[in-house]
Amino acid sequence: VKRIDLISALDATPGMDRDHYVFIRGDRTVPYGELWGVMELLRQNGYLKVKLVALEGVAAAPPGAQPAEAAKP
């Protein structure tokens, strides 16, 4: 889901309301600021129950690896 459509997609999900948890998962290529921007968007729209999901079994990035450039919203 694109960031611009996130809140409307959550609002349109059957059985979803602001009392349910929203789980966020990202990999190492997601810049820290982008992740927190999504969390702030959720908070501003009343989705206060947010959990981060860690990926199990994901290999660590090689030393000195740079994250990929983030797509602009």
Side-chain angles (χ1 to χ4, degrees):
V1 175
K2 292 182 181 180
R3 183 186 302 196
I4 195 165
D5 300 324
L6 178 59
I7 301 304
S8 59
L10 287 172
D11 290 343
T13 301
M16 182 64 175
D17 60 34
R18 284 163 174 77
D19 289 328
H20 283 83
Y21 283 101
V22 175
F23 293 87
I24 298 176
R25 180 180 65 196
D27 60 24
R28 294 178 188 274
T29 64
V30 177
Y32 184 77
E34 293 290 323
L35 177 65
W36 287 105
V38 169
M39 292 178 65
E40 179 63 14
L41 176 66
L42 291 166
R43 187 195 65 77
Q44 290 173 350
N45 286 276
Y47 288 95
L48 306 178
K49 294 182 176 184
V50 177
K51 292 189 175 193
L52 300 177
V53 178
L55 297 176
E56 294 183 30
V58 175
Q66 298 294 320
E69 185 67 27
K72 302 297 180 205

